[in-house]
Amino acid sequence: MADSSELGWILCSVITLVALCGVVSKTRKRKGISVTRTESLNGVLTSNGECGSTDGSHADVIIVGAGVAGSALAYTLAKDGRRVHVIERDLSEPDRIVGELLQPGGYLKLLELGLEDCVEEIDAQQVFGYALFKDGKHTRLSYPLEKFHSDVSGRSFHNGRFIQRMRQKSSSLPNVHLEQGTVTSLLEEKGVIRGVQYKTKDGCELTAFAPLTIVCDGCFSNLRRSLCNPKVDVPSYFVGLVLENCHLPYSNHGHVILADPSPILFYPISSTEVRCLVDVPGQRVPSIANGEMANYLKTVVAPQVPPEIYDSFVAAVDKGNIRTMPNRSMPAAPHPTPGALLMGDAFNMRHPLTGGGMTVALSDIVVLRNLLRPLRDLSDAPTLCKYLESFYTLRKPVASTINTLAGALYKVFCASPDQARKEMRQACFDYLSLGGVFSTGPISLLSGLNPRPLSLVLHFFAVAIYGVGRLLLPFPSPKRIWIGARLISGASGIIFPIIKAEGVRQMFFPETVPAYYRAPPLVEERI
């Protein structure tokens, strides 16, 4: 009996071992990577001959980049129970001159994601609207915040401080692994992205695998070409300065000066600092090294800033900490790719004049979170890819409204020798100065509180018609009628190409796009 009992235990052990091996084998097959393939990809020789490897199979999602989009996405997915591996090129605090203004619509998304405490303890300033200046006149445009809690407003801050808070928040979750490394390529097998190859801080080359890889590596992305058709336009550069102990004419407001040749922005980024961004159109900027830039700022820009800011502006120029950054715009043109997705500035950019970039990114994260929530298994990459095509349609009303407004406003706000463009610029200033619905409508679009494409188009052409009315009253003349016709034509030439690039159908009629109705894929129950 004892021998029979021992034989029975041995047989049970063998059967259990065989069963476990079968389960492991099926799991690996479901992921589309054979045992041999995994081993061959995991073993990568470094330049010094040492072999580095990382399994990565513990992760549900790999996120490339830990900026605003990457960090917020990591926290959001991890909070829903996903195991997230984040790979960021540089984990030190970033130092940028953009990404410093979060619109109220973006703050509402921050609240929805549970990340609102990331604007605390960084000396962030509340922003309640804008002040618009032109030819010695000015008007104040307040955000329509009456229906919201008193804490809801815009926020302005040092970009690096905000990102570090986001990184701390995401890495505080046990299922987030935040690592410093440079992703060199996506690992593709039979048309499916299986993971990434990256180089660590120490120079060791590793690979990581996950069912879904999300690329959020910013405006300088070196991976986007694999996942989209990038058409990057650089219409201008921002020249950045920090004004110290400067008192703006309207506290807790952004200031936009309609200068010649293009707008100048001022907004607080701490209790003692004001960011100044001078837009310089074209493909080059005056040289900082030989003093050409300082001379340009003092002779061309300084005379156009409000008197209250003049001394602080000149002092900042004399201090010499002048920085530049190209302003990029890029419509979202993704190639749906099984196993991978683009997010943030790697995916979609707009002129930063309106400060809408973070609002678009956070809104996209909310859309993606809601799409992924019903899914427990992400391993069926082709089915998941088809389902996530709805993401590109569902994001459109918010993203395209903010993108279109940014591009259109920049073109309207730039000075031009053309009389029709001058009239359009003046009409825009006067229209916004009317107050009531004429100011709250456009400012609610800019703030992300009312991201409705149709409302944007109506207000844009209302400005154009208002400009024509100013020309024709009280007595029209042939010259004025001709300028009015060119004004309408010019307005159409500004907004329609932007709308075309965004996608007319997806922007105005998303319900007609089949992907809009995609339901989560059914997952078979496994015993």
Side-chain angles (χ1 to χ4, degrees):
M1 290 293 292
D3 292 341
S4 299
S5 176
E6 289 176 2
L7 182 61
W9 278 109
I10 291 170
L11 287 173
C12 286
S13 299
V14 171
I15 292 169
T16 302
L17 184 61
V18 170
L20 284 172
C21 289
V23 169
V24 171
S25 176
K26 286 181 180 179
T27 302
R28 290 190 171 182
K29 284 180 180 178
R30 280 201 307 273
K31 291 184 178 180
I33 304 174
S34 67
V35 175
T36 305
R37 174 67 171 163
T38 304
E39 289 174 351
S40 65
L41 285 176
N42 274 352
V44 182
L45 285 176
T46 62
S47 57
N48 60 9
E50 294 179 356
C51 186
S53 68
T54 178
D55 185 1
S57 60
H58 65 283
D60 298 310
V61 180
I62 292 171
I63 296 176
V64 181
V68 171
S71 300
L73 184 62
Y75 177 80
T76 301
L77 297 182
K79 201 168 64 169
D80 281 354
R82 309 282 183 191
R83 295 163 297 180
V84 183
H85 184 186
V86 187
I87 305 171
E88 162 59 34
R89 182 182 60 82
D90 185 359
L91 288 175
S92 61
E93 184 174 307
D95 184 14
R96 302 181 66 203
I97 65 171
V98 293
E100 298 172 317
L101 178 62
L102 180 67
Q103 297 288 0
Y107 182 76
L108 289 175
K109 297 300 178 183
L110 214 61
L111 281 168
E112 192 172 346
L113 296 171
L115 289 164
E116 67 278 7
D117 56 342
C118 291
V119 296
E120 298 172 1
E121 300 177 10
I122 59 172
D123 199 16
Q125 304 298 298
Q126 284 192 290
V127 178
F128 298 108
Y130 282 86
L132 197 61
F133 294 75
K134 185 180 186 297
D135 300 331
K137 297 180 180 179
H138 54 86
T139 184
R140 183 167 64 174
L141 310 170
S142 298
Y143 293 136
L145 300 172
E146 298 80 10
K147 298 179 181 178
F148 299 98
H149 187 271
S150 60
D151 191 51
V152 176
S153 66
R155 292 292 194 282
S156 53
F157 39 67
H158 281 272
N159 172 268
R161 296 176 187 175
F162 180 56
I163 287 177
Q164 290 301 85
R165 288 281 288 152
M166 299 272 273
R167 289 172 178 174
Q168 292 166 8
K169 180 90 170 180
S170 62
S171 59
S172 68
L173 298 178
N175 47 336
V176 173
H177 173 47
L178 178 59
E179 181 179 7
Q180 182 164 310
T182 302
V183 175
T184 55
S185 62
L186 302 173
L187 297 178
E188 181 264 340
E189 184 180 278
K190 297 180 180 178
V192 177
I193 302 300
R194 299 299 187 185
V196 299
Q197 181 169 320
Y198 66 103
K199 186 176 290 186
T200 67
K201 186 178 180 181
D202 300 326
C204 186
E205 292 186 6
L206 303 176
T207 54
F209 299 92
L212 180 61
T213 299
I214 303 178
V215 175
C216 306
D217 57 345
C219 60
F220 299 104
S221 174
N222 63 340
L223 301 175
R224 66 160 67 101
R225 289 189 179 278
S226 304
L227 303 173
C228 76
N229 181 27
K231 295 180 180 178
V232 181
D233 181 37
V234 182
S236 65
Y237 281 73
F238 265 157
V239 178
L241 299 164
V242 173
L243 282 56
E244 297 178 348
N245 300 309
C246 171
H247 300 287
L248 293 170
Y250 294 92
S251 60
N252 298 102
H253 281 68
H255 291 59
V256 182
I257 291 84
L258 302 188
D260 187 355
S262 52
I264 308 166
L265 307 180
F266 294 91
Y267 51 88
I269 54 173
S270 75
S271 53
T272 60
E273 298 166 300
V274 168
R275 168 66 71 195
C276 170
L277 294 174
V278 178
D279 185 84
V280 179
Q283 299 300 309
R284 64 174 297 274
V285 293
S287 171
I288 296 175
N290 64 12
E292 188 182 352
M293 176 64 79
N295 182 62
Y296 174 82
L297 294 174
K298 285 184 176 182
T299 59
V300 177
V301 178
Q304 301 185 74
V305 305
E308 301 94 324
I309 308 175
Y310 181 86
D311 290 340
S312 298
F313 179 82
V314 173
V317 175
D318 289 337
K319 190 173 181 180
N321 187 19
I322 304 171
R323 302 174 58 193
T324 64
M325 182 172 182
N327 293 324
R328 293 175 169 84
S329 62
M330 184 185 79
H335 300 149
T337 306
L341 198 68
L342 274 170
M343 295 283 286
D345 283 348
F347 171 50
N348 184 204
M349 294 181 283
R350 76 292 309 148
H351 196 285
L353 173 70
T354 59
M358 289 187 288
T359 300
V360 172
L362 294 170
S363 175
D364 285 352
I365 289 169
V366 171
V367 172
L368 183 62
R369 177 201 65 182
N370 294 341
L371 285 171
L372 291 178
R373 263 184 174 168
L375 306 180
R376 288 175 296 170
D377 185 8
L378 304 177
S379 61
D380 187 348
T383 303
L384 178 64
C385 178
K386 188 174 182 182
Y387 169 59
L388 288 182
E389 284 182 18
S390 59
F391 166 75
Y392 302 120
T393 303
L394 294 170
R395 69 179 293 273
K396 272 294 178 181
V398 174
S400 60
T401 300
I402 293 173
N403 294 344
T404 305
L405 181 63
L409 266 187
Y410 176 70
K411 291 184 177 180
V412 171
F413 281 179
C414 283
S416 171
D418 180 73
Q419 187 61 36
R421 289 285 296 274
K422 286 182 180 179
E423 291 292 340
M424 182 69 178
R425 192 185 195 212
Q426 186 63 49
C428 186
F429 180 84
D430 291 344
Y431 182 88
L432 293 171
S433 300
L434 291 173
V437 68
F438 305 105
S439 64
T440 57
I443 203 72
S444 64
L445 290 165
L446 184 147
S447 63
L449 296 172
N450 176 32
R452 297 178 183 173
L454 185 57
S455 179
L456 166 62
V457 173
L458 290 175
H459 276 289
F460 187 81
F461 279 103
V463 170
I465 293 168
Y466 176 75
V468 172
R470 290 171 64 255
L471 281 168
L472 300 184
L473 296 176
F475 302 108
S477 67
K479 181 180 178 181
R480 287 174 172 267
I481 292 173
W482 172 241
I483 293 174
R486 286 175 48 229
L487 192 157
I488 293 292
S489 174
S492 302
I494 288 173
I495 197 168
F496 287 147
I498 303 173
I499 291 175
K500 182 181 178 182
E502 289 292 325
V504 176
R505 188 179 177 190
Q506 292 88 344
M507 188 171 173
F508 294 98
F509 312 104
E511 295 88 351
T512 67
V513 180
Y516 185 86
Y517 300 99
R518 294 256 165 89
L522 297 175
V523 179
E524 294 182 5
E525 294 291 338
R526 295 184 177 89
I527 300 175

